[in-house]
Amino acid sequence: MTAAVPTDADLIARHASGDPQAFSELVRRHRDRMWAVALRTLRDPEEAADALQDAFISAFRAAGNFRAESQVTTWLHRIVVNACLDRVRRRQARPTVPLPETGFNEPATPRDSMSDRETRLVIAEALDKLPEDQRAPIVLVDVEGYSVSETAQLLGIAEGTVKSRCARGRAKLAKVLGHLRNPDAIANVPGSESKRSRRSPSGEREGR
């Protein structure tokens, strides 16, 4: 009689009990799918490979805390997504040389690369503050372009749940990142320098 094939949950339990082969089997089952997630998230094979390795190391260490409140694939996917986000944050924090954004014979438009980098960091920090159940669907749908259906399959939840979590997450992000949508609001507020420029050297206001 052929022995029953162990489930993912069985493998997690065996790993936690000290079975040296259980986690390797779990990785073999899900490596390709998790690799696809990492690659689509980071769009860089080397970064994706490093993130996937980080994720499996984290999963290996945290497997003993798995409580079967979700599917193992969902648990692994969240770890992979978080590992990818960590690499994105580290990559954005490092100085980079932006690629030219001009086409053939187009005039170069100077860009404030430091400001762009700070903006990306602010967004990453805002995402990091979201509850995990909201952060994962927001990243997949709004950042990486997955459909609601694809996100539901990846996270093992209903499509309606994806929509509601995205809506709650977007509402929180809108409060934190609202200033990025209207940067001119601050720029148009007269500063002390502009007030001084309206006065003549004698101290009287000009234009009278």
Side-chain angles (χ1 to χ4, degrees):
M1 183 175 179
T2 304
V5 176
T7 65
D8 290 344
D10 291 336
L11 291 173
I12 287 286
R14 291 182 185 181
H15 168 68
S17 298
D19 185 335
Q21 303 300 324
F23 194 79
S24 296
E25 173 61 20
L26 196 67
V27 170
R28 186 192 65 77
R29 288 183 183 182
H30 300 290
R31 180 177 52 229
D32 290 348
R33 181 178 180 183
M34 295 303 119
W35 162 251
V37 170
L39 185 59
R40 185 166 183 179
T41 301
L42 293 170
R43 307 192 186 278
D44 181 312
E46 291 186 6
E47 288 282 327
D50 289 342
L52 191 61
Q53 181 177 351
D54 292 343
F56 279 134
I57 290 173
S58 296
F60 182 91
R61 294 171 176 170
N65 298 323
F66 181 71
R67 295 292 178 264
E69 296 175 354
S70 61
Q71 295 181 1
V72 173
T73 51
T74 301
W75 174 74
L76 282 174
H77 183 271
R78 288 173 179 171
I79 293 175
V80 171
V81 169
N82 285 330
C84 290
L85 288 175
D86 286 342
R87 297 200 72 83
V88 168
R89 283 191 289 270
R90 292 199 295 269
R91 184 172 59 192
Q92 289 172 343
R94 294 195 299 266
T96 57
V97 178
L99 293 174
E101 298 190 4
T102 57
F104 181 69
N105 285 337
E106 291 181 358
T109 302
R111 293 179 59 84
D112 187 345
S113 59
M114 180 63 72
S115 176
D116 289 346
R117 187 159 58 249
E118 289 176 352
T119 297
R120 290 194 297 269
L121 285 172
V122 168
I123 293 173
E125 290 173 358
L127 285 169
D128 197 41
K129 292 178 181 178
L130 290 177
E132 183 178 302
D133 65 337
Q134 295 173 14
R135 182 172 67 248
I138 283 284
V139 169
L140 292 171
V141 175
D142 291 344
V143 178
E144 300 307 326
Y146 284 89
S147 69
V148 170
S149 176
E150 289 173 327
T151 300
Q153 292 177 3
L154 287 170
L155 296 180
I157 57 180
E159 292 185 20
T161 303
V162 172
K163 293 178 181 178
S164 63
R165 290 180 180 178
C166 282
R168 292 198 299 270
R170 288 167 186 153
K172 293 177 181 178
L173 290 174
K175 294 179 181 179
V176 177
L177 303 175
H179 64 286
L180 297 179
R181 300 177 62 183
N182 188 20
D184 293 335
I186 297 176
N188 290 334
V189 176
S192 57
E193 189 66 30
S194 62
K195 291 179 181 179
R196 284 197 298 269
S197 66
R198 295 175 187 171
R199 293 180 181 273
S200 66
S202 63
E204 296 180 356
R205 289 184 178 272
E206 295 179 351
R208 286 189 174 185

